[in-house]
Amino acid sequence: MSELEITIKQAKEALAENNAKKALKILKPFKSSLKKENANNVILNEVFAEAYLDNGQVEKAYPILARVCELDSEGQVGGPNKFFTMGQIIGGQDGVSIITRGIMSISNIAGDNLTNDQVEKIVGGLLSMIEIWMTDLCMEPNAEEQCEELIQRAMELTDGKSPETWSTLGSIKISQQKFGEAYEAFSQAWNFFDLRKQEIGEGINENNSIAQTIGLQSEFVDLLQPFLSLAKMCLEVGAYEVALKVITAVRDIDEDNIEGYYLEGFTYYLMSKLEIFKLKNPEVNLNPENIYEFNQVIQEVPLDLSNELITQFLYDSRLALSFALQMGTNADSKDEVVQELLGGANALLQEIGGPVDPKELSRVKKGETINENEDFQELDLMEDFSD
């Protein structure tokens, strides 16, 4: 095995471990060769592009990907992944065309016998195309028709068992204002995500090789973003119980995830608002079809903090939001997403009674049972995060 082959192998191993910086360090001796003797080396170019993307350097990955798509126009050397990635980056009609090229590449190689991995890649491509049609191309007259056709193909390929496909279907139904159907789609998405999570967990607990265990752990971590996205979409249609199940799964993956804590607190906040709204409007029959409208006027519903119907919801909301603030003490002050979450947590806490005492948070974290009558000294944490 040549030095270049060893380098590529080691870089791929680092990327499999989600260590892009390590991969780039390994690849560094061959960086200059991309413009010289290895300019047409598809595999080396692809590894460099993947490493840059995983390290958040899209501007460096883009020209390399563009070149590789030209060098390996049918995916015969490096496979179809580059077409899917490139299509997502550029978007629009060109993005759809490039993703279609990736799907055709897989189909041509596989013939009539698609493997599970090939099906997964094709479905991923179809869902990426749907995302483009729902965003960049949403004003095109055939956008809805294209989304329906693509989601149907994805469902057929996966026998209706793909959680990502169900999540995307729910998103389509929201755009069509069919909120009841969206609710059902998100419920199905969670059912299949939960099954996948259990299967991965069982696989990790079995006596596998180190490489297999690392691969499964990577799959486990990869569930994080789809779970967070699903939880947020569930809230749009009032699927609060499903959202809480998804958020619990988020904590299994990353127990200190700030967004997970914020979403949990926000879910309980919405549930308390909903209870008060139902109490004051008993004639209104709330369901997924109209709860979307309720979410649009949520701020207009005043909370009675002394109402026993929402006491537990309010406490659970304060608890989760307080944990979000606690996790945020070590967060990067330049991370705009995190700072927005912390600002949102503070705003909600001001409305529902303030943060929970740090001593109480510590005891909850340890799994201790808290006596509701215990007197904890109130500490004003909000000042620490209001800057």
Side-chain angles (χ1 to χ4, degrees):
M1 188 178 292
S2 67
E3 182 182 356
L4 176 58
E5 290 172 329
I6 293 172
T7 297
I8 291 174
K9 180 176 181 294
Q10 291 176 342
K12 286 183 175 181
E13 290 172 351
L15 290 171
E17 297 170 0
N18 296 312
N19 195 336
K21 292 187 183 300
K22 180 181 177 181
L24 287 171
K25 186 176 180 180
I26 293 170
L27 292 167
K28 188 175 181 180
F30 289 92
K31 184 177 180 180
S32 61
S33 73
L34 291 181
K35 296 181 179 180
K36 300 175 183 177
E37 65 269 23
N38 286 313
N40 295 333
N41 188 314
V42 171
I43 303 301
L44 181 61
N45 275 273
E46 285 193 355
V47 174
F48 260 104
E50 184 179 353
Y52 280 132
L53 283 173
D54 287 358
N55 201 43
Q57 296 173 279
V58 179
E59 72 286 351
K60 290 189 175 182
Y62 178 83
I64 300 175
L65 274 173
R67 178 167 179 76
V68 173
C69 287
E70 292 178 4
L71 289 172
D72 188 25
S73 60
E74 295 183 2
Q76 295 291 328
V77 180
N81 289 351
K82 54 183 165 288
F83 302 120
F84 298 136
T85 303
M86 190 66 176
Q88 288 176 304
I89 291 174
I90 64 175
Q93 192 61 62
D94 289 340
V96 170
S97 298
I98 292 177
I99 292 173
T100 300
R101 199 197 308 179
I103 293 174
M104 292 301 297
S105 171
I106 294 175
S107 299
N108 291 336
I109 293 172
D112 296 328
N113 300 308
L114 289 169
T115 65
N116 289 336
D117 184 57
Q118 289 170 328
V119 168
E120 186 176 324
K121 288 181 179 179
I122 289 177
V123 170
L126 294 173
L127 299 185
S128 294
M129 290 167 69
I130 291 173
E131 183 178 353
I132 293 173
W133 278 108
M134 292 180 68
T135 52
D136 299 357
L137 303 176
C138 64
M139 301 305 293
E140 294 294 321
N142 62 333
E144 184 174 342
E145 179 184 346
Q146 287 293 325
C147 289
E148 292 284 359
E149 180 181 329
L150 292 168
I151 199 67
Q152 184 60 37
R153 287 174 61 190
M155 282 290 183
E156 291 173 356
L157 281 169
T158 59
D159 296 323
K161 297 179 181 179
S162 162
E164 292 89 354
T165 301
W166 280 106
S167 287
T168 301
L169 176 62
S171 181
I172 292 173
K173 294 305 177 183
I174 285 180
S175 70
Q176 296 172 337
Q177 297 190 322
K178 298 178 180 179
F179 304 116
E181 293 180 36
Y183 186 109
E184 293 301 321
F186 294 143
S187 297
Q188 287 280 42
W190 166 242
N191 290 336
F192 288 113
F193 266 131
D194 190 31
L195 285 174
R196 182 184 297 176
K197 176 175 173 288
Q198 292 178 37
E199 290 172 357
I200 293 173
E202 291 170 1
I204 291 174
N205 292 329
E206 292 175 358
N207 294 321
N208 295 308
S209 66
I210 294 177
Q212 287 176 316
T213 300
I214 291 174
L216 288 168
Q217 289 173 337
S218 179
E219 286 184 42
F220 195 62
V221 172
D222 286 344
L223 291 174
L224 185 60
Q225 289 307 315
F227 280 2
L228 290 169
S229 296
L230 177 59
K232 285 182 278 191
M233 290 190 291
C234 283
L235 296 185
E236 292 190 57
V237 295
Y240 300 140
E241 298 298 330
V242 177
L244 290 173
K245 291 178 181 178
V246 178
I247 292 165
T248 298
V250 167
R251 191 155 304 137
D252 290 340
I253 300 171
D254 179 7
E255 64 178 354
D256 296 330
N257 187 274
I258 295 175
E259 187 171 7
Y261 276 117
Y262 174 80
L263 287 174
E264 181 180 4
F266 187 55
T267 302
Y268 282 119
Y269 169 81
L270 291 175
M271 292 170 74
S272 65
K273 289 265 186 174
L274 183 62
E275 285 300 315
I276 296 298
F277 180 84
K278 289 192 296 185
L279 183 66
K280 294 185 175 182
N281 301 274
E283 75 284 358
V284 178
N285 178 28
L286 284 172
N287 55 62
E289 294 294 352
N290 59 24
I291 205 167
Y292 184 86
E293 298 176 12
F294 165 76
N295 284 336
Q296 309 308 306
V297 296
I298 191 74
Q299 292 301 328
E300 299 175 15
V301 179
L303 283 175
D304 177 4
L305 302 187
S306 63
N307 191 309
E308 293 184 358
L309 284 175
I310 62 173
T311 299
Q312 190 62 51
F313 290 155
L314 290 175
Y315 176 76
D316 290 338
S317 180
R318 290 175 60 221
L319 195 64
L321 294 171
S322 297
F323 272 125
L325 293 185
Q326 189 180 75
M327 298 301 110
T329 57
N330 297 319
D332 184 355
S333 61
K334 296 181 181 179
D335 189 323
E336 294 181 2
V337 174
V338 170
Q339 295 308 314
E340 184 177 349
L341 290 170
L342 297 179
N346 258 317
L348 291 176
L349 282 168
Q350 289 178 23
E351 184 181 352
I352 62 177
V356 173
D357 186 275
K359 293 180 182 178
E360 189 171 349
L361 292 179
S362 179
R363 291 180 59 180
V364 171
K365 193 78 169 179
K366 294 176 182 177
E368 295 182 22
T369 301
I370 302 298
N371 186 330
E372 293 182 4
N373 296 320
E374 286 190 60
D375 182 22
F376 285 91
Q377 180 183 2
E378 289 295 325
L379 298 178
D380 188 2
L381 293 185
M382 288 185 285
E383 293 181 358
D384 297 335
F385 302 95
S386 59
D387 294 335

